[in-house]
Amino acid sequence: MRRLLLALPFALLPLAAVQAHEHDHDHDSLGAHEHGVARLNAALDGNVLELELESPAMNLAGFEHAASSHADKAKVAAVRAELESPLALFALPEEAGCKVASQELESPLFGADDHHDEHAKGHENEHSEVHAHYRIECSAPDALKSLDLAGLFKRFPATEKIQVQLIGPNGQQGAELSKSNATLSF
């Protein structure tokens, strides 16, 4: 089971790599960056749920360049505000009593306060990603029966698919969620 799961992301690579190649000839990509597709790693350990979301900036903001116009800056600020409210994006059962213990957002899109900024300067035309890492503490983790991403799909409609790797009490599982299939059971 575990070996099959580890092979899962690679099974999706050939198509993504072809699309990435057509999209950007001079960018040597393994297909990890595909518009419309985000990745979510989720791990429940005791009463702590760790969530790590990686998405092309295009899925969230609609563009990938550093924001310079007022409209772009406003859009980036709005995206950041949405990402700073993870409990609205990842619906968790109320009875689980979950609260956000810590969160980290990282992206060249967010500008100068980002420690990847130096790297981004030399690669203006590269795809920019948004990384969000959340640590959520739940007082009744046994009530965490599912993870519902409907809120995320609703707020970021350009996100068509989310490839989820989940490690929970029943071991590891992988799934590809979409707007019409936005829930994964633990």
Side-chain angles (χ1 to χ4, degrees):
M1 178 67 194
R2 183 175 289 264
R3 180 165 297 165
L4 175 71
L5 213 89
L6 291 172
L8 225 162
F10 298 103
L12 302 165
L13 274 181
L15 179 65
V18 168
Q19 287 175 338
H21 185 66
E22 286 170 5
H23 181 69
D24 189 354
H25 292 291
D26 61 357
H27 187 55
D28 187 21
S29 169
L30 280 174
H33 183 103
E34 190 185 344
H35 291 171
V37 180
R39 289 181 303 284
L40 177 71
N41 293 319
L44 178 61
D45 186 12
N47 70 329
V48 175
L49 176 65
E50 298 256 3
L51 295 171
E52 203 171 75
L53 177 70
E54 287 180 35
S55 172
M58 185 66 79
N59 295 2
L60 308 180
F63 57 85
E64 302 196 319
H65 53 265
S68 51
S69 72
H70 287 305
D72 283 358
K73 285 180 177 171
K75 182 72 181 161
V76 169
V79 166
R80 190 168 194 152
E82 295 275 19
L83 292 171
E84 284 172 349
S85 307
L87 296 181
L89 301 176
F90 310 101
L92 301 170
E94 219 169 287
E95 55 274 22
C98 299
K99 63 184 193 314
V100 181
S102 67
Q103 59 185 17
E104 267 176 79
L105 299 178
E106 242 179 68
S107 174
L109 203 64
F110 298 144
D113 60 338
D114 191 281
H115 60 260
H116 286 307
D117 205 40
E118 279 309 306
H119 176 69
K121 277 192 182 69
H123 301 275
E124 289 297 333
N125 62 351
E126 286 212 1
H127 299 303
S128 64
E129 297 266 329
V130 174
H131 293 255
H133 183 210
Y134 307 102
R135 183 183 163 89
I136 296 168
E137 292 177 358
C138 303
S139 55
D142 290 348
L144 280 178
K145 299 288 182 226
S146 65
L147 184 61
D148 183 356
L149 305 185
L152 201 149
F153 284 112
K154 188 174 162 192
R155 284 170 175 77
F156 301 117
T159 300
E160 293 157 24
K161 293 184 290 192
I162 299 177
Q163 294 164 355
V164 183
Q165 294 275 29
L166 172 70
I167 300 171
N170 302 321
Q172 190 176 14
Q173 55 175 313
E176 188 168 272
L177 301 184
S178 62
K179 290 178 181 77
S180 56
N181 173 33
T183 307
L184 183 64
S185 299
F186 278 88

